[in-house]
Amino acid sequence: MSAHIFIAEDEAPISTLLKYNLEKEGHKVSSSENGEDSLKSIKQKMPDLILLDWMLPDLSGVEICKQLKRDKKYNDIPIIMLTAKGEEEDKLKAFETGADDYVTKPFSQKELNARIKSLLRRAKPLSSTDVVEFKDLKIDRLAKRVYRNDKEIILGPTEFKLLDFFIKNPKRVYSREQLLNNVWGENIYVESRTVDVHIRRLRKVLNVSGLESLIRTVRSAGYSLDN
Ligand code: CA
């Protein structure tokens, strides 16, 4: 699977090595050493995936990630944050900005390759598919119908959007803020408690008795489609 990968990294040795290794894997690579240029290049020529250093001169990786994930035009591009920080708290912070994955320097190229591959695989085909399945759950996006165990489930419009968003990346944990931004939209003011209310409703209809529970609460982090 070859893709266009953008590297935003100010440490030249890391960037050079990454470029070398990724090209060896068959990817097309472009890069920048500072934040403003990175954001400009990414917007000009949308890459398939971004490797984003946490700390960059002028505009930080965290800020770039937030800006891209807030924008409907770019928020589908998978982002892997590269960082020297290894604290659990920073990891959560990275996910809060909307990053799709996170590696701590020094990382193994092999591990990074595996993560890149997995993100590329799930980013591509799903977005254009009309019928998506996860376990015994099936969403028909065109007809806006949901089935569990082959029985139709009736969802409200917000619950449908929530589920449609979750099913793009099953098992991935989303914070309330990420759910608000992606399901309700950027400029709409809603309290994060609203998310809990709709999750509760979604769960109630999805968790048909006798079947496994599908929406998992991850303490102090958010929710994921899981079981
Ligand atoms: Ca840096």
Side-chain angles (χ1 to χ4, degrees):
M1 194 183 322
S2 89
H4 171 206
I5 296 179
F6 188 89
I7 305 171
E9 166 64 80
D10 61 322
E11 285 163 78
I14 297 183
S15 176
T16 310
L17 188 64
L18 274 174
K19 191 164 192 271
Y20 172 81
N21 283 318
L22 291 172
E23 283 175 345
K24 215 169 66 184
E25 290 286 304
H27 299 300
K28 182 176 162 267
V29 179
S30 42
S31 62
S32 170
E33 289 176 6
N34 76 69
E36 296 280 3
D37 279 351
S38 294
L39 195 57
K40 216 187 282 165
S41 311
I42 289 165
K43 288 186 170 177
Q44 264 166 11
K45 214 169 174 208
M46 283 216 277
D48 299 307
L49 185 138
I50 302 166
L51 298 178
L52 187 55
D53 186 25
W54 184 283
M55 296 291 283
L56 287 166
D58 61 276
L59 190 61
S60 78
V62 176
E63 194 46 48
I64 293 178
C65 187
K66 276 191 194 158
Q67 286 198 25
L68 291 173
K69 289 299 181 186
R70 233 180 263 150
D71 196 324
K72 281 221 160 63
K73 209 167 147 196
Y74 308 105
N75 67 6
D76 278 343
I77 309 174
I79 297 180
I80 300 179
M81 294 290 279
L82 310 175
T83 169
K85 306 175 180 197
E87 306 281 331
E88 193 61 19
E89 205 180 298
D90 290 316
K91 193 170 175 172
L92 280 179
K93 234 183 261 168
F95 284 127
E96 267 166 30
T97 64
D100 298 86
D101 209 341
Y102 170 104
V103 290
T104 309
K105 292 178 200 167
F107 46 82
S108 94
Q109 184 67 38
K110 224 172 152 187
E111 188 195 340
L112 184 63
N113 286 346
R115 290 177 183 226
I116 288 173
K117 218 178 255 173
S118 121
L119 278 177
L120 287 175
R121 205 179 301 134
R122 65 188 197 200
K124 282 268 152 100
L126 278 187
S127 53
S128 53
T129 315
D130 297 331
V131 177
V132 192
E133 290 181 69
F134 174 71
K135 308 226 162 163
D136 56 4
L137 191 67
K138 190 164 95 181
I139 297 187
D140 184 332
R141 291 201 164 117
L142 284 184
K144 297 235 183 287
R145 284 170 190 267
V146 178
Y147 303 86
R148 177 108 204 247
N149 215 9
D150 292 327
K151 269 186 126 167
E152 186 171 4
I153 285 175
I154 307 297
L155 293 181
T158 305
E159 285 73 37
F160 182 87
K161 275 197 237 165
L162 256 176
L163 185 62
D164 190 38
F165 179 68
F166 273 123
I167 210 164
K168 281 185 200 157
N169 280 316
K171 295 185 188 281
R172 150 133 197 229
V173 180
Y174 289 102
S175 68
R176 289 171 179 79
E177 201 190 332
Q178 285 172 320
L179 292 171
L180 278 178
N181 289 344
N182 285 284
V183 176
W184 278 261
E186 248 331 288
N187 301 313
I188 295 164
Y189 181 74
V190 200
E191 274 184 72
S192 62
R193 273 195 30 195
T194 309
V195 175
D196 300 333
V197 173
H198 287 277
I199 292 276
R200 219 175 295 141
R201 283 190 202 155
L202 178 59
R203 228 182 223 150
K204 205 170 154 196
V205 278
L206 277 188
N207 293 354
V208 183
S209 72
L211 299 178
E212 278 176 299
S213 157
L214 283 180
I215 309 267
R216 189 164 63 96
T217 305
V218 182
R219 268 190 76 184
S220 76
Y223 299 101
S224 79
L225 180 65
D226 215 328
N227 68 12

